[in-house]
């Protein structure tokens, strides 16, 4: 971060200041996934999924920095251990084929963030509410060789103004994407996609009450797949 130092009495700039923070946080854990899929008819399929909470104890590797001495940034000191579990997740989805050439799918995920164990001494506000995603996708067979698809996803990640800070902010987001798959030859297909994630601007609270948080991210994908029949 680059800063301008202001004289408190006159309000005039008197100096500049630069600070850097280099830190890696890593953790590993195990969780269970249970799912059920049921096909009601050749054109209607539905599924349920439950993922257990996953215990994660993050360990920090950091270079010495003046940042770590500031209130709220203690978790960026070297060797700091930080408990931040992945929440349990309940998911559901259904796909319907209204005609032979099209497929419509609806899905949702519900995140039990309020029950996830989080560290209480790392300077972060863990006042998260439960979050959820809900999405809609459409696939259409334009020609025997070309499939087109589009999708929309809305995410409410459970963050609130007290949880936003300059190093972490979980704000609501919209995701829109389009894609295509072309079968260049029998068994060989090429895929391409483009998508945009754009967020709902968040406003901080407390020491961050004058801060605004936002994100806008573009995604591009290109792939190829080869299927080889075995006899």
């Amino acid at each position: 971060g680059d800063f301008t130092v202001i004289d408190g009495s006159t309000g005039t700039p008197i100096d500049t200041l630069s600070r850097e923070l280099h830190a890696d946080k890593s953790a590993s854990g195990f969780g269970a996934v249970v799912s059920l899929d049921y096909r009601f008819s050749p054109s209607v399929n539905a599924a349920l999924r439950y993922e257990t909470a996953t215990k994660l104890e993050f360990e920090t590797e950091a270079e010495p920095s003046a940042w770590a001495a500031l209130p709220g940034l203690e978790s960026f000191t070297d060797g700091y251990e930080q408990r931040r579990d992945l929440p349990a997740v309940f998911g559901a989805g259904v796909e319907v084929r209204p005609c032979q050439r099209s497929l419509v799918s609806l899905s949702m995920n519900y995140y039990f963030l309020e029950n996830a164990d989080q560290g209480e001494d790392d300077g972060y506000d863990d006042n998260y509410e439960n979050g959820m995603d809900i999405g809609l996708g459409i696939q259409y067979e334009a020609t025997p060789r070309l499939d087109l698809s589009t999708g929309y996803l809305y995410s409410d990640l459970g963050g609130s103004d007290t949880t936003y800070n300059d190093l972490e902010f979980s704000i609501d987001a919209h995701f829109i994407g389009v894609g295509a798959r072309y079968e260049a030859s029998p068994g060989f297909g090429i895929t391409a996609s483009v998508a945009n994630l754009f967020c709902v601007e968040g406003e901080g609270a407390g020491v961050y009450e004058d801060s605004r948080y936002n994100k806008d991210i573009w995604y591009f994908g290109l792939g190829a797949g080869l299927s080889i029949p075995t006899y």
Side-chain angles (χ1 to χ4, degrees):
D2 297 320
F3 304 90
T4 300
V5 181
I6 304 296
D7 187 305
S9 59
T10 64
T12 58
I14 58 174
D15 199 0
T16 58
L17 176 66
S18 295
R19 284 179 172 170
E20 295 184 357
L21 175 63
H22 299 274
D24 292 318
K25 293 176 179 287
S26 59
S28 60
F30 293 91
V33 180
V34 181
S35 62
L36 174 68
D37 185 278
Y38 185 76
R39 183 170 293 278
F40 291 91
S41 71
S43 59
V44 180
N45 188 62
L48 300 175
R49 185 187 81 261
Y50 180 76
E51 303 176 19
T52 64
T54 303
K55 179 181 177 180
L56 293 177
E57 190 81 38
F58 285 85
E59 184 172 348
T60 304
E61 294 183 6
E63 299 178 9
S65 171
W67 279 114
L70 297 177
L73 295 180
E74 297 88 350
S75 70
F76 290 95
T77 55
D78 191 60
Y80 189 94
E81 294 185 353
Q82 182 181 24
R83 177 74 177 270
R84 303 202 72 180
D85 292 355
L86 285 177
V89 181
F90 172 75
V94 61
E95 61 180 22
V96 179
R97 189 175 292 279
C99 65
Q100 187 63 32
R101 299 175 64 179
S102 64
L103 181 69
V104 179
S105 61
L106 179 68
S107 64
M108 63 83 64
N109 290 305
Y110 189 83
Y111 304 96
F112 296 91
L113 290 162
E114 296 177 12
N115 301 113
D117 194 349
Q118 310 290 347
E120 299 179 353
D121 58 349
D122 55 11
Y124 285 103
D125 189 315
D126 298 317
N127 187 32
Y128 284 88
E129 299 178 353
N130 290 337
M132 70 175 299
D133 299 321
I134 184 166
L136 174 68
I138 300 173
Q139 181 177 320
Y140 180 71
E141 182 183 321
T143 71
R145 287 192 172 189
L146 178 64
D147 291 336
L148 303 175
S149 64
T150 184
Y152 168 78
L153 181 74
Y154 175 75
S155 297
D156 176 357
L157 301 179
S160 62
D161 56 358
T162 61
T163 68
Y164 303 151
N165 61 71
D166 291 349
L167 295 174
E168 176 180 294
F169 48 98
S170 296
I171 50 183
D172 296 353
H174 302 271
F175 181 91
I176 298 176
V178 295
R181 180 185 184 277
Y182 180 72
E183 187 176 10
S185 62
F188 178 69
I190 300 172
T191 61
S193 63
V194 60
N196 180 234
L197 176 88
F198 55 98
C199 296
V200 180
E201 183 178 276
E203 181 178 344
V207 296
Y208 299 101
E209 64 181 352
D210 294 325
S211 299
R212 303 292 182 271
Y213 300 96
N214 212 339
K215 299 178 185 178
D216 190 284
I217 305 170
W218 282 93
Y219 299 83
F220 301 93
L222 183 64
L226 177 64
S227 298
I228 302 175
T230 58
Y231 302 97

